[in-house]
Amino acid sequence: MPDKCLSGLNGGPGTPLALWVVESVHPEATHDPLGRGPGRSGPMRPEATTRTVAFLAVVACLLTLPLRAEGACLASPESPDRNNPHQFVVAFIESLQWGKQGSSRVQPDAALGDLLLQLTLAQEDYRCAATILDSFAESTDHFIPRIAVLARKTYSALIEFDRRLVAETTAALDTPGGLGSVIDRLSSLGAAKTEEWTGLNHIAAASVYVLVKFGENGAPSRRLRITRSERRELLQKLERAFGPGIRIGLRSAAGDTVNAADGAAYLLYRFLTDRKWRAMDE
């Protein structure tokens, strides 16, 4: 499916092309790396027009890709108990998995056609992340619907950021001199997207309240609302989803950053391994 969309690109997939680079090659004209040629100082070269049309054809192809069926997002065909804290945390972990997949798809140094495809597919991953939490937004529990709604809003915002990145990039391709003027907007969108991901860590930190049993006076009781086996199942699910490195904390290679979904998962894992909090059957 991706090959079908990318087959018409000059140079083919894998040719690095950063959206924010504009290379000056003539004192009277600005040339961008997309091959769109001179801006207002002269007409576009024929080869530049051809490349623009090819890129826009890729975008049109992407828009025809079938969307993932909602059922494919869900691990179980059965409706979860929306008031069950264990089932909610299971769903929250799965939503983080989808979120990580969407974030990991996007490679800034990818060829433009690849990058547009990555951003489009990432939107579908974020939709799955939000869909998994849909029923829990209607929970009558005190904490579950609050966390579910906040997380869904985060994924919806990520979808919108990626949609705008695709839309503004493709619009710039079809406008003489448009890429230079859109760079600042693309940078702002990228910064806002990073901030939205950071907010997911705060949501994960708040999600542990779903698991805590509170006393009649509203104070935490140092007990959990899940059993020992449920606690063990959640820890195992986190390890399978995010790797054994989650046991000691996620570290990145020099110069790299830890994926925000990994960080959110680690906050959950650290809480569940804190033995000061006893399971309901201990």
Side-chain angles (χ1 to χ4, degrees), residues 126-280:
Y126 299 146
R127 285 192 180 93
C128 274
T131 297
I132 288 171
L133 301 174
D134 279 351
S135 64
F136 294 100
E138 306 300 324
S139 171
T140 57
D141 182 82
H142 182 74
F143 290 108
I144 289 176
R146 290 169 169 79
I147 302 303
V149 168
L150 286 172
R152 287 170 63 204
K153 286 182 177 179
T154 293
Y155 295 127
S156 295
L158 292 171
I159 291 169
E160 178 61 13
F161 286 137
D162 280 358
R163 186 197 67 78
R164 289 175 61 188
L165 283 169
V166 171
E168 297 203 16
T169 300
T170 53
L173 287 172
D174 202 33
T175 305
L179 188 65
S181 64
V182 84
I183 288 175
D184 288 341
R185 293 202 300 277
L186 293 177
S187 297
S188 297
L189 283 173
K193 184 178 177 182
T194 299
E195 185 175 349
E196 199 69 41
W197 266 117
T198 302
L200 190 65
N201 286 320
H202 299 300
I203 296 171
S207 72
V208 303
Y209 286 104
V210 169
L211 298 172
V212 175
K213 181 177 177 60
F214 289 84
E216 293 182 0
N217 61 353
S221 65
R222 285 293 180 179
R223 281 196 173 275
L224 301 177
R225 299 167 63 195
I226 56 176
T227 65
R228 286 177 293 178
S229 63
E230 289 174 333
R231 182 184 206 163
R232 185 165 53 251
E233 179 188 339
L234 292 176
L235 288 169
Q236 291 172 348
K237 187 174 185 66
L238 284 164
E239 290 179 11
R240 288 195 303 270
F242 296 93
I246 198 172
R247 299 173 187 166
I248 57 175
L250 298 159
R251 296 179 174 84
S252 63
D256 292 338
T257 56
V258 174
N259 186 287
D262 284 322
Y266 175 65
L267 291 173
L268 268 175
Y269 191 89
R270 189 174 63 181
F271 175 80
L272 287 166
T273 54
D274 187 345
R275 304 313 298 183
K276 294 193 297 290
W277 296 94
R278 293 179 295 163
M280 60 189 298

